């Protein structure tokens, strides 16, 4: 997700679209999951003055903001690519403003970059790197089986560039097999993508945070942190804190610190 200042600017753009059919004096409510409501409200007021009334509310996650919009408690919110799918399929919401880094919105793209230490890789000619970490039996050659049982730091569970793109690529390539772990995942009340990733990395993973539905879920289907039976596994073994979305190893910078 974008920093607060950028998010506030996009909330302003969203609010502008929403004002088309609103009468003067009617309040537009924006939902945020990060930052503070005062900064959000100030950004909206600075953009459009006092001719319109603005209010910002804060929820605990992007999913909660989507619920707020669906339930009429908010008018607009901002989400990433992963939540956009849920916004449409689960909450019956539609995108009204999109950002493109290219000149043509029709070619808008989202890139994810996989990083590893040079000492963990094979050389360009395919030979084993002489500086290879002694704890690794084989060097890493790409998004393939050479990664199996290595250590992984994801930005968070079901985050777009830190989970959806790499996990999807690994499943597409046949390196991760959700069908193999579907039964065990159901027995443990764990979403199958979480179980698949845990097993591939042999518990050596940090993928903090939750969504509304996972990675682990309770009897009502609500998402919970997945830290394994002993509280030190699942998607949390390599995490530094509580494995929540606020874990020191969560997010882009957190994932880099996790690799250190």
């Amino acid at each position: 997700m974008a920093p607060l200042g950028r998010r506030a600017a996009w909330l302003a753009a969203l609010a502008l679209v929403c004002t088309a059919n609103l009468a003067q004096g009617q309040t537009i409510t924006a939902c945020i999951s990060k930052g503070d409501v005062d900064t959000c409200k100030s950004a909206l007021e600075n953009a459009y003055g006092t001719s319109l009334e603005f209010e910002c509310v804060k929820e605990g996650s992007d999913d909660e903001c989507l619920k707020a919009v669906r339930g009429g408690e908010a008018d607009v919110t901002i989400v990433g690519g992963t939540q956009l799918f849920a916004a449409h399929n689960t909450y019956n919401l539609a995108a009204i403003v999109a950002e493109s880094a290219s000149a043509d919105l029709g070619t808008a793209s989202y890139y994810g970059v996989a990083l590893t230490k040079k000492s963990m890789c094979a050389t360009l000619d395919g030979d084993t790197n002489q500086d290879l970490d002694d704890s690794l039996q084989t060097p890493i050659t790409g998004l393939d089986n050479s990664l199996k049982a290595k250590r992984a730091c994801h930005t968070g569970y079901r985050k777009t560039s830190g989970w959806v793109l790499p996990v999807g690529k690994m499943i597409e390539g046949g390196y991760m097999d959700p069908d193999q772990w579907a039964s065990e995942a159901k027995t443990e009340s764990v979403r199958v993508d979480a179980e698949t990733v845990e097993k591939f990395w042999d518990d050596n993973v940090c993928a903090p945070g939750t969504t509304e539905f996972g990675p682990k879920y309770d009897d009502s289907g609500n998402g919970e942190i997945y830290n394994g039976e002993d509280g030190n596994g699942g998607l949390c073994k390599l995490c530094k804190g509580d494995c929540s979305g606020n874990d020191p190893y969560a997010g882009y910078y957190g994932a880099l610190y996790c690799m250190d």
Side-chain angles (χ1 to χ4, degrees):
M1 300 302 291
L4 178 60
R6 190 175 177 189
R7 287 170 63 86
W10 278 100
L11 282 170
L14 286 166
L16 176 62
V17 176
C18 289
T19 60
N21 296 317
L22 293 178
Q24 185 170 345
Q26 193 166 350
T27 300
I28 300 169
T29 302
C31 184
I32 59 173
S33 60
K34 300 184 186 300
D36 64 88
V37 294
D38 291 335
T39 301
C40 169
K41 188 174 188 298
S42 295
L44 293 170
E45 290 176 342
N46 289 336
Y48 300 112
T50 58
S51 59
L52 293 165
E53 293 290 332
F54 295 104
E55 179 182 355
C56 292
V57 296
K58 187 174 182 178
E59 298 290 349
S61 67
D62 293 331
D63 283 323
E64 291 299 318
C65 275
L66 292 174
K67 283 184 180 179
V69 174
R70 182 184 63 178
E73 299 167 15
D75 299 304
V76 294
T77 189
I78 294 177
V79 295
T82 305
Q83 290 82 11
L84 185 61
F85 181 78
H88 174 73
N89 276 16
T90 305
Y91 300 103
N92 197 31
L93 303 177
I96 54 176
V97 175
E99 177 185 18
S100 173
S102 66
D104 179 8
L105 183 60
T107 60
S109 301
Y110 195 105
Y111 291 93
V113 178
L115 301 175
T116 190
K117 293 180 179 180
K118 182 179 179 181
S119 60
M120 299 173 71
C121 297
T123 59
L124 292 178
D125 59 8
D127 292 335
T128 300
N129 191 330
Q130 296 302 310
D131 298 323
L132 187 68
D133 190 317
D134 291 337
S135 66
L136 302 174
Q137 296 180 352
T138 57
I140 293 173
T141 57
L143 286 178
D144 53 34
N145 273 330
S146 66
L147 291 170
K148 192 170 179 61
K150 300 294 196 297
R151 299 183 296 270
C153 300
H154 296 264
T155 56
Y157 176 65
R158 290 198 180 177
K159 294 297 183 180
T160 306
S161 61
W163 181 277
V164 175
L165 294 181
V167 173
K169 195 71 175 177
M170 294 291 285
I171 291 174
E172 181 183 50
Y175 307 115
M176 290 183 177
D177 182 10
D179 292 336
Q180 180 181 356
W181 305 109
S183 178
E184 186 170 337
K186 185 176 181 180
T187 300
E188 297 179 356
S189 298
V190 174
R191 299 302 175 190
V192 68
D193 60 335
E195 187 75 15
T196 301
V197 169
E198 178 207 4
K199 290 298 190 293
F200 183 86
W201 297 117
D202 195 22
D203 275 0
N204 295 311
V205 60
C206 176
T210 64
T211 68
E212 182 182 5
F213 307 107
K216 190 174 175 62
Y217 55 91
D218 60 20
D219 292 340
S220 299
N222 299 313
E224 299 177 340
I225 288 171
Y226 178 33
N227 55 7
E229 294 182 2
D230 60 358
N232 188 35
L235 300 182
C236 301
K237 185 175 181 178
L238 296 187
C239 293
K240 188 175 184 180
D242 60 3
C243 199
S244 72
N246 295 317
D247 191 279
Y249 289 165
Y252 298 119
Y253 291 110
L256 290 175
Y257 287 124
C258 172
M259 290 175 57
D260 191 11

